[in-house]
Amino acid sequence: MPSQNSAYVSDTAPGRGALRAARSWLHSDAPSRSLNGHWRFRLSPTVPAAADFAAEGFDDGDWDSIPVPSHWVLQGDGAYGRPIYTNVQYPFPIDPPHVPDENPTGDYRRHFEMAADWSGAERVVLRFDGVESLFRLWVNGEEIGAASGSRLAHEFDVTSAVRPGGNVVAVRVHQWSAASYLEDQDQWWLPGIFRDVTLIARPAGGIEDVWLRAGYEEGRGRIDAEITADAVAFPVTVRLPELGIERVWATPGDVVPFDVDAVDPWSAERPRLYDVTVSSAAESIALRVGFRTVEIRGDRFLVNGRRVVFHGMNRHETHPERGRVFDEEHAREDLARMKRFNVNAIRTSHYPPHPRLLDLADELGFWVVLECDLETHGFDKVGWTGNPSDDPAWREAYLDRMRRTLERDKNHPSVVMWSLGNEAGTGGNLAAMAAWVHARDTGRPVHYEGDHTGEYTDVYSRMYASVPETERIGTDGSRSPLMNCTPAQSARQRSKPFLLCEYAHAMGNGPGALDQYEALVHEHPRLHGGFVWEWRDHGILTTTPDGTPYYAYGGDFGETVHDGNFVMDGMLLSDDVPTPSLHEYKAVAQPVRLTFDNEAGEVAVTNLRHSADTSDLRFCWRVEHDGTLVDSGDLAVPVVAAGESGRVPLPPVAVAHDAETWFTVDAVLAADTAWASAGHVIATAQLDRSARRPAPGARSRTDWRDTDGTLTLGIAEFVDGSLVRLAGRPVTGPRLELFRAPTDNDESASEEVAESDAAVAGVSQATLWREDGLDRLTVRRVSVEGTPEALRTVSKVSAANSGSWVTVETVWSVEGDELELRVEIEPSRGWRTVWPRIGIRFDLPDGTAPVDGAEWFGLGPLESYPDSLRAARTGRFSSTLRDLSVDYARPQETGHRSQVRQLTLTSAGTEVLRLSTVPDTRGRRPGFTLGRHTPQQIARAAHPFELPASTTSHLIVDAAQHGLGSRACGPDVWPEFALRPESRTIRLRLSAG
């Protein structure tokens, strides 16, 4: 016989006891008291047999103290267990609805005082906004009830148990329960009371719930109110002071919709809110209303009659020290940062966020797809056998989760779509959820990606569809079958708006090809954009045994099963630092397109916004010669309405004959906003106005003769054909470098490989590179020849156990007062895969003047790669050596700057060495990477602290780099950006600093 306790945690019922029905999270003047603070706490490795701790007189004097809200695994430096990260895997046997006996259980106790005047309250309610996973509640020794649904709000009627004066609340929280099978959401498992606990006095004649549906059409608003209250609460008054509205409803039957003249609509671009109060004699509730109407018309998703394009992020609630504990100041800055990077939408993956976050979304302006607290992804391991989504025993749990999601957040104008959850297969319970939502809220559509055939959802949604597949979905008249669909089902799905609920997996250095997806949105109106996976890394700040801090990922806490660094897949690092990919996203998603017509001498300004015109923007221009500012001003751009374009003449531009001339236009905010200061750049475009100058040809020499010994050519010194000093300092190189420290995309063994690519499905590129020995190349010198002003070497580069090679010819020559280096790289036949790079590496030992910085003229300021160039602009930049690279949680390829013209290496601000590049015969210029570790050293480190101490700086000049792609969870590098073995030339001019 199972014990009573094991049966309890295996119960699929979502709650029991005095658990109240779901309602809105409201700002009420009814008395309330926060019970946040320090609680007494005891952790047991299994479910205790008794609940004696709930008794009023229980002595908890030897218990620990723990803050509420918090996660117990993030307290006490491991004293209460450790976090567990899984993406798909369940960290317990798949034996639904049962969980192991080894079930960490936290007992909490808190003493509180209840004011004497609360004794007149009609009801006293205890509210929990988030507890993971199943919890039981006692007040003054009386068991009140239990609930599950970790990211959902639960209220209990405790009227019969509380009293004026001293009271004791006791809570037992089980880490694992039947509910855990519904919460496999690609995140850390973090048990505990992690959101607010509030005691609320519900007054007699109070208002239980309010829902103000505020629609908009052609300048007019309409309010359709739903008031949940006893008849004794009436009359109820609704006031909109700014609009001069006051309506009194004497009885429940008087509550009817009413029109509002001359209102400004709410949108994510102009989030206009109106303060509203709804009051009875006993209680007043404050809301902020935004007038907007959501509808689907054909295959268009519209708000206020205009098509919406989601430039969105999937957002988990995560913080490196607090976990999912909400901090409003941090959340506000997080959303403001989204706005600054042209993000206009949030999918709350994969659960409702803290309710206050949606107030911020209303205020700052976001389209929100609000997702239910549901995912059963771990059933994929058993072929979805036993998946709760189609099991009637779980139906009430599914419906309860959906009810609590919708009811809590129904008043928010930012919420424009309900999502049933994520990656839970499909089945009758999901269909039942959709049916309930359709009946309850006719003003918002239903989303669920797993409904591939569109049986019960209103929009067609996919994740990680490739660019060609996305194009086929959006193309009118296309008859290509869609994934898991019959022809008829495919046609039905093409009749709906389409969005990518997840795409562009932002793990490590990547993703690439963001601009290709963006281009499709503007070509095919059925495509409504999507949501990048995801906003931020989930690293947990911890330390090594010697105290070195780092951001931990799966496996760093000794988990039995885990999914490694797959939790580090954000466009923001764990410490809030934006990655280069976020800058790339900003450039791709810019809401104003600037297009130059050089022949007409004009720039076209296209407003891609949903509804806002350009009156909030200034258009600033500047002219630079080789990156040096020579002129600037403002363009007189007339106000351009949303969806419209205007053309403006370009100012006269002084073109230099001995330098590159670049004309740049920035669209900037004209005034401060809630999320950025005046002058913040939202869009940029550049025009190359340079006079064309032919590249100097390479000098042909025929008088080569064998040579050895010491040789000096300008600033270079050689011994037996090998470089030993450059500009007076020790240097080795140039050494052929074909390897890069694999990115997370390079390491992925995804089946999603690009068409015509030299890739193997199910095998990572990094595996193929290692098999080909690209990380362990050896050199055989074939010849060394010289003239009085030149040195030529030929080498054969290959790897152990490989029959393929690369011939490298290196020519050093004195050209006037500069030293030229020309490297010809030619691969043999037989290479079977793409290469990560084609470059040459110089090693520069520190000596007395370590290379610690760089200045360059080329693309910058951040790293860039062939399929991630939109954020890069041509200019003159400088950086410390440390800031040239990105601290990805797992060290990998980073720091490449493309199309460099001039590069100066510095030490303590002093020039050490100057390089200029000469384009090859096709006009291509190399890029560079400068760092303290070789690609091989970086590839061996799983965390930044594992990188060895370094006494050398390493400069790699790349003729070419392989693209980034999104293969960690999505498509491979597009063929256009894949680097196949090929002959390349690198030409450099060098001089002393």
Side-chain angles (χ1 to χ4, degrees):
M1 288 285 293
S3 69
Q4 181 181 5
N5 286 317
S6 65
Y8 192 90
V9 296
S10 299
D11 189 353
T12 62
R16 62 174 65 185
L19 181 62
R20 305 178 83 232
R23 66 186 184 114
S24 300
W25 192 80
L26 296 170
H27 300 274
S28 167
D29 65 355
S32 66
R33 177 181 176 181
S34 171
L35 296 189
N36 292 352
H38 282 275
W39 292 47
R40 307 298 285 176
F41 180 73
R42 174 187 69 184
L43 183 68
S44 304
T46 60
V47 180
D52 55 337
F53 82 103
E56 286 189 73
F58 181 85
D59 182 6
D60 58 17
D62 61 346
W63 283 24
D64 296 334
S65 177
I66 195 171
V68 169
S70 72
H71 304 279
W72 70 61
V73 293
L74 297 183
Q75 302 295 316
D77 195 24
Y80 310 120
R82 289 294 194 179
I84 299 169
Y85 167 63
T86 62
N87 169 31
V88 177
Q89 305 179 79
Y90 283 118
F92 45 80
I94 305 172
D95 181 24
H98 307 292
V99 293
D101 294 337
E102 293 80 13
N103 187 357
T105 298
D107 290 334
Y108 295 77
R109 284 173 54 88
R110 164 75 190 261
H111 292 258
F112 68 91
E113 296 288 321
M114 191 178 85
D117 59 1
W118 278 32
S119 60
E122 182 179 58
R123 300 278 94 188
V124 178
V125 172
L126 189 54
R127 180 183 181 97
F128 294 82
D129 281 309
V131 183
E132 183 175 330
S133 99
L134 166 70
F135 69 104
R136 299 170 65 183
L137 170 66
W138 294 261
V139 174
N140 294 329
E142 178 183 333
E143 183 163 7
I144 304 299
S148 61
S150 298
R151 269 68 67 177
L152 303 168
H154 298 90
E155 290 184 337
F156 295 88
D157 188 333
V158 297
T159 310
S160 63
V162 294
R163 58 183 176 240
N167 294 265
V168 178
V169 58
V171 182
R172 173 163 285 175
V173 180
H174 306 285
Q175 175 159 15
W176 309 124
S177 69
S180 302
Y181 285 99
L182 308 185
E183 296 175 1
D184 187 28
Q185 291 145 320
D186 188 8
Q187 60 181 340
W188 295 97
W189 298 85
L190 300 173
I193 305 174
F194 67 93
R195 285 185 184 159
D196 306 296
V197 181
T198 309
L199 192 69
I200 304 168
R202 298 295 308 135
I207 299 172
E208 181 67 12
D209 202 359
V210 174
W211 186 4
L212 298 183
R213 301 174 178 90
Y216 176 83
E217 185 175 2
E218 296 182 356
R220 293 170 56 86
R222 182 174 177 83
I223 291 180
D224 185 358
E226 178 182 289
I227 309 295
T228 304
D230 292 338
V232 296
F234 288 81
V236 170
T237 303
V238 58
R239 295 182 178 90
L240 284 81
E242 190 174 352
L243 299 175
I245 291 175
E246 179 172 317
R247 293 222 168 200
V248 180
W249 293 313
T251 69
D254 294 335
V255 181
V256 294
F258 62 92
D259 293 331
V260 182
D261 292 333
V263 299
D264 295 324
W266 185 98
S267 73
E269 293 164 356
R270 290 183 173 167
R272 183 68 162 92
L273 294 170
Y274 293 88
D275 291 326
V276 181
T277 59
V278 179
S279 306
S280 69
E283 181 178 16
S284 182
I285 292 170
L287 302 96
R288 293 190 299 178
V289 165
F291 291 91
R292 58 105 185 97
T293 295
V294 179
E295 63 178 321
I296 291 177
R297 196 180 300 162
D299 61 358
R300 306 290 194 274
F301 177 88
L302 309 176
V303 174
N304 299 334
R306 298 185 64 89
R307 172 175 173 259
V308 170
V309 174
F310 296 102
H311 290 114
M313 293 285 160
N314 281 277
R315 181 190 180 274
H316 267 290
E317 297 217 308
T318 182
H319 185 274
E321 296 172 87
R322 296 187 298 270
R324 281 188 286 278
V325 175
F326 183 76
D327 177 84
E328 182 167 335
E329 182 179 355
H330 185 261
R332 180 180 287 276
E333 172 55 27
D334 215 31
L335 297 196
R337 185 183 293 110
M338 284 188 180
K339 296 286 285 189
R340 292 195 293 272
F341 281 91
N342 292 334
V343 175
N344 71 3
I346 298 169
R347 177 180 177 228
T348 67
S349 52
H350 298 292
Y351 43 82
H354 189 282
R356 182 72 181 128
L357 185 95
L358 296 171
D359 285 342
L360 301 179
D362 293 341
E363 174 189 325
L364 294 173
F366 290 91
W367 312 116
V368 175
V369 176
L370 188 63
E371 198 143 85
C372 184
D373 189 9
L374 175 65
E375 181 168 339
T376 67
H377 206 168
F379 282 91
D380 182 63
K381 175 72 174 181
V382 293
W384 297 96
T385 300
N387 182 21
S389 294
D390 205 31
D391 185 342
W394 296 82
R395 178 156 299 182
E396 183 52 35
Y398 275 60
L399 289 171
D400 181 75
R401 286 171 182 260
M402 194 67 243
R403 283 193 292 262
R404 293 187 181 279
T405 297
L406 186 151
E407 298 294 355
R408 193 196 73 170
D409 299 325
K410 56 184 176 283
N411 280 294
H412 291 283
S414 58
V415 177
V416 295
M417 199 180 302
W418 300 112
S419 179
L420 305 180
N422 185 69
E423 293 176 324
T426 189
N429 293 338
L430 287 155
M433 293 167 73
W436 182 85
V437 174
H438 284 134
R440 180 70 176 122
D441 184 5
T442 59
R444 297 178 176 103
V446 173
H447 165 275
Y448 177 65
E449 187 270 345
D451 180 24
H452 294 149
T453 60
E455 298 295 328
Y456 46 85
T457 49
D458 302 309
V459 297
Y460 182 34
S461 175
R462 287 283 309 284
M463 53 178 66
Y464 308 109
S466 67
V467 170
E469 185 181 8
T470 303
E471 184 173 27
R472 290 193 293 269
I473 292 169
T475 301
D476 288 340
S478 174
R479 296 188 178 183
S480 60
L482 302 180
M483 188 182 76
N484 297 332
C485 289
T486 65
Q489 292 165 341
S490 298
R492 175 168 61 191
Q493 292 296 66
R494 281 197 175 90
S495 71
K496 300 177 180 179
F498 175 78
L499 61 88
L500 286 159
C501 66
E502 295 178 23
Y503 81 111
H505 192 264
M507 188 174 179
N509 189 348
L514 288 169
D515 53 348
Q516 293 178 279
Y517 285 100
E518 179 70 13
L520 293 179
V521 166
H522 300 290
E523 185 178 350
H524 303 287
R526 180 180 305 130
L527 307 181
H528 287 73
F531 299 82
V532 169
W533 188 266
E534 62 173 306
W535 173 237
R536 66 162 60 240
D537 284 359
H538 296 221
I540 292 179
L541 185 61
T542 188
T543 60
T544 63
D546 68 0
T548 302
Y550 73 101
Y551 292 99
Y553 50 73
D556 288 337
F557 296 110
E559 300 101 306
T560 301
V561 296
H562 62 84
D563 287 299
N565 70 318
F566 208 70
V567 76
M568 308 299 244
D569 47 13
M571 288 199 157
L572 207 65
L573 299 180
S574 299
D575 59 359
D576 294 346
V577 173
T579 64
S581 67
L582 184 53
H583 289 268
E584 179 77 0
Y585 183 88
K586 175 186 176 182
V588 167
Q590 57 190 32
V592 175
R593 182 189 298 148
L594 303 164
T595 308
F596 295 106
D597 185 340
N598 203 11
E599 291 186 6
E602 294 179 330
V603 58
V605 179
T606 303
N607 182 359
L608 301 174
R609 291 166 159 182
H610 171 265
S611 48
D613 61 30
T614 60
S615 59
D616 60 330
L617 303 178
R618 288 174 48 228
F619 293 84
C620 309
W621 62 266
R622 63 184 180 274
V623 177
E624 293 166 312
H625 291 166
D626 274 1
T628 301
L629 181 67
V630 296
D631 200 4
S632 63
D634 283 1
L635 290 177
V637 177
V639 174
V640 181
E644 302 296 328
S645 295
R647 298 177 72 86
V648 183
L650 297 176
V653 175
V655 176
H657 296 289
D658 58 350
E660 293 187 33
T661 301
W662 285 87
F663 180 82
T664 305
V665 177
D666 293 328
V668 306
L669 291 177
D672 294 346
T673 68
W675 45 270
S677 301
H680 169 75
V681 177
I682 70 160
T684 297
Q686 280 193 314
L687 174 65
D688 185 358
R689 297 294 299 272
S690 305
R692 299 305 170 194
R693 293 175 291 165
R699 188 193 306 185
S700 176
R701 286 183 169 85
T702 59
D703 54 343
W704 299 108
R705 62 181 183 275
D706 292 342
T707 186
D708 56 17
T710 301
L711 175 67
T712 298
L713 291 175
I715 62 170
E717 299 175 31
F718 303 87
V719 174
D720 295 334
S722 297
L723 179 67
V724 295
R725 297 183 71 82
L726 195 57
R729 62 179 298 136
V731 175
T732 60
R735 177 187 180 90
L736 178 69
E737 188 64 83
L738 301 180
F739 187 66
R740 72 182 185 194
T743 66
D744 291 307
N745 291 318
D746 295 336
E747 291 281 15
S748 172
S750 169
E751 300 291 329
E752 293 289 335
V753 297
E755 298 172 9
S756 304
D757 200 355
V760 179
V763 180
S764 74
Q765 297 287 16
T767 296
L768 297 176
W769 296 340
R770 293 184 181 105
E771 288 179 356
D772 282 353
L774 299 188
D775 58 336
R776 48 184 174 82
L777 296 175
T778 61
V779 179
R780 178 173 67 83
R781 181 68 55 78
V782 175
S783 64
V784 179
E785 299 173 309
T787 75
E789 294 183 338
L791 175 70
R792 175 177 180 264
T793 65
V794 177
S795 300
K796 188 173 182 178
V797 181
S798 56
N801 198 38
S802 173
S804 301
W805 68 89
V806 180
T807 301
V808 180
E809 178 189 44
T810 301
V811 178
W812 295 88
S813 61
V814 176
E815 306 293 341
D817 58 356
E818 289 186 309
L819 179 69
E820 178 168 306
L821 167 64
R822 178 170 56 86
V823 182
E824 301 284 354
I825 300 164
E826 183 178 355
S828 69
R829 295 182 178 180
W831 293 97
R832 60 178 180 158
T833 186
V834 296
W835 279 351
R837 69 178 350 133
I838 302 174
I840 53 175
R841 191 181 90 206
F842 297 89
D843 300 328
L844 300 93
D846 288 347
T848 58
V851 171
D852 60 10
E855 300 171 358
W856 73 98
F857 174 46
L859 291 189
L862 303 176
E863 65 185 29
S864 55
Y865 293 83
D867 54 355
S868 184
L869 286 169
R870 291 285 291 274
R873 58 181 174 84
T874 302
R876 193 167 291 277
F877 308 99
S878 64
S879 174
T880 64
L881 185 146
R882 176 176 177 80
D883 288 342
L884 283 169
S885 59
V886 179
D887 287 332
Y888 295 113
R890 185 189 69 80
Q892 56 196 275
E893 163 65 28
T894 178
H896 180 259
R897 267 71 177 176
S898 307
Q899 299 176 28
V900 65
R901 281 81 159 164
Q902 300 163 11
L903 171 65
T904 301
L905 306 185
T906 60
S907 177
T910 300
E911 294 185 359
V912 171
L913 182 67
R914 290 195 295 266
L915 301 85
S916 60
T917 68
V918 179
D920 67 11
T921 56
R922 293 172 56 183
R924 299 173 296 188
R925 292 184 185 268
F928 81 93
T929 305
L930 180 65
R932 295 293 287 175
H933 297 93
T934 67
Q936 291 77 9
Q937 290 172 324
I938 296 170
R940 287 192 289 268
H943 301 86
F945 69 80
E946 296 176 45
L947 290 167
S950 174
T951 59
T952 303
S953 295
H954 305 278
L955 171 66
I956 303 177
V957 178
D958 284 317
Q961 273 258 2
H962 184 56
L964 298 174
S966 186
R967 194 177 175 183
C969 188
D972 199 2
V973 174
W974 189 245
E976 179 183 350
F977 306 113
L979 179 58
R980 293 166 181 79
E982 63 182 26
S983 298
R984 296 298 290 254
T985 299
I986 297 174
R987 287 181 67 190
L988 307 175
R989 296 284 180 94
L990 302 93
S991 60

